[in-house]
Every structure is written in structure tokens, then in C-alpha cells.
Amino acid sequence: MTSWGSLGLVEAGSPLMEQLIFFHDYAMCIMLMIIFFVGVAGVFMIKSSFTDRYVLEENMVEVIWTIVPVFILICLALPSLRLLYLLDESSSPSLTLKVIGHQWYWSYEYSDFKDLEFDSYMIPTEELDMGGYRLLEVDHRAVLPVGVEVRVLVSAADVLHSWTVPGLGVKADAVPGRLNQLSFVIMRSGVWYGQCSEICGANHSFMPIVVEGVSCDSFMNWVGSLVSV
């Protein structure tokens, strides 16, 4: 979670989110430079005695305002394409998590472990513990190990949903009858919150997502405690 009153994006919990934040800041810098240049040029042209409303053409100006935008677009397109490939790439995942969206809760299945699956419901406001986040806390979190590439397969059982965790830089539509794939690596222990980002019905706002990153030892202990039950 980000701190109160901050203007930036949520704190990055994965390398993908770090790259997304870097590209956001990079694009914002270019945009601010364009706004500054156009503003200064506009003010200069308004006040300058060199402004001539009878000038019909100027080849050099036309060349400049054609080439410069092309160069700017190239500077934005190249890192953007690189980032798109990074978001889609899944080389050698060590853990697979299957996520199924329902009206209105999430189901999680750990495919690498037998009989390890559970449903995750939002905790009602009146049942929240002190310090809990309203409309974001769930009764069963998706626990994942830190430093391990995780593959997430996303689908739905009824209507369209969207599994989105901004802090990890991941978002995938949950489509009935189809599996969408994403992958990420959690950099450190922590808790990341998300919500369904596809309007899926009356209780669309009440199916939050909570991903908890823990050490590999803690993850295996957690798996053992659930499998042995």
C-alpha cells in the first residue's frame, strides 16, 4: 500500500511494477517537456514582433514539427514494446496458481500441491480486526513465496472478472472457458491488495484480492499446515 497523501503509484512489490513505474515517470518527463516547450513557444509567438499573419509557408518549420514528434514517438514506443514483452514472458515458473473468479469471490488452486484449494471472501466491515482495510481484507489470502517466479492462470466460472494487483504490476481478465496467463516475482515479504477490475455484477466492489509474500520456508510450512488438515 502507498502512504496517505502521496501522489505517486503504489510501492512496487515486483520487478515488473518497478519497470512500469520507471516507464510512467519517463513518459511524464517527456510530456512535461512538451507542455513547457509548446507553452513557451506560444507565449513567444503572441508577444513577439516577428509574428506575421501573412506568412503562408515555412519549409524549415514544417520539417521540424514533423520530425520532432516522430522522434518523440520512437522514444516512447521502444521502451513500451520492451515492457510489453516483459509482461508477457514466462520463462521457467517454479509455482503455478490457478485463480477462478465467481460472483462474487475468488477461488485459488495450487496446482503443484494435491488438494490445496480454497475460496477467498471479503471480510464484512463489522467483522474487521483493528487496523484492517475496509472492503479489502479477505478471510483467506493467496500466500506466495518470495523470490520465486509464479505463474498465475486466470479464468472465471460465470461472468467476466479481472484479477488485478497494482502493487505487483499484474492484471488479467478472467474469462469463462478460457485461461489467461501472467507471471511475476515477489521481491520481498509483504501484503499486496487488489480488486476485481471488470464490472461483474451487483457485488463487483466486494471481491477484493490479497496476496501475501512470505519466505520459502514459511510458504512450505503454510502448505503443510493446510494439506495436513
Side-chain angles (χ1 to χ4, degrees), residues 9-11 22 72 102 113 115-116 156:
L9 301 175
V10 296
E11 186 177 357
F22 172 79
I72 293 174
H102 302 267
F113 304 96
D115 300 328
L116 181 51

Side-chain angles (χ1 to χ4, degrees), residues 6-212:
S6 62
L7 297 177
L9 301 175
V10 296
E11 186 177 357
S14 69
L16 289 178
M17 189 58 188
E18 283 189 338
Q19 292 294 317
L20 287 170
I21 292 175
F22 172 79
F23 180 72
H24 169 269
D25 296 341
Y26 171 74
M28 286 294 292
C29 288
I30 293 179
M31 186 191 72
L32 290 175
M33 287 189 293
I34 293 173
I35 293 174
F36 176 77
F37 175 78
V38 172
V40 170
V43 172
F44 176 78
M45 292 298 293
I46 291 173
K47 296 183 176 181
S48 174
S49 59
F50 294 102
T51 303
D52 192 341
R53 62 181 178 175
Y54 299 107
V55 174
L56 300 180
E57 62 180 20
E58 177 57 54
N59 292 335
M60 182 57 66
V61 173
E62 292 180 359
V63 170
I64 292 175
W65 74 34
T66 300
I67 293 179
V68 171
V70 171
F71 177 75
I72 293 174
L73 290 176
I74 292 175
C75 290
L76 288 172
L78 293 180
S80 177
L81 290 174
R82 171 182 173 273
L83 189 54
L84 285 175
Y85 280 108
L86 287 176
L87 291 172
D88 283 338
E89 185 175 351
S90 179
S91 55
S92 56
S94 302
L95 179 67
T96 298
L97 174 66
K98 185 176 181 181
V99 180
I100 302 175
H102 302 267
Q103 289 182 315
W104 286 273
Y105 63 95
W106 297 98
S107 294
Y108 296 99
E109 300 178 8
Y110 289 76
S111 305
D112 301 294
F113 304 96
K114 185 179 179 181
D115 300 328
L116 181 51
E117 56 184 69
F118 53 85
D119 298 329
S120 179
Y121 291 88
M122 186 192 75
I123 298 178
T125 302
E126 59 272 11
E127 298 178 12
L128 274 178
D129 295 330
M130 183 65 68
Y133 292 104
R134 178 177 172 271
L135 303 183
L136 287 178
E137 297 290 352
V138 297
D139 54 357
H140 295 97
R141 295 174 173 178
V143 180
L144 296 173
V146 172
V148 172
E149 183 174 355
V150 179
R151 176 177 59 184
V152 181
L153 302 176
V154 184
S155 185
D158 35 49
V159 299
L160 290 175
H161 300 278
S162 183
W163 197 79
T164 307
V165 184
L168 299 177
V170 293
K171 177 181 180 181
D173 287 340
V175 182
R178 175 177 176 179
L179 286 177
N180 286 329
Q181 176 179 288
L182 53 86
S183 63
F184 56 88
V185 177
I186 300 177
M187 296 189 300
R188 61 183 180 278
S189 299
V191 180
W192 287 269
Y193 295 87
Q195 291 177 302
C196 176
S197 298
E198 190 77 47
I199 298 177
C200 56
N203 291 331
H204 157 71
S205 301
F206 306 107
M207 50 184 304
I209 303 159
V210 182
V211 176
E212 183 176 356

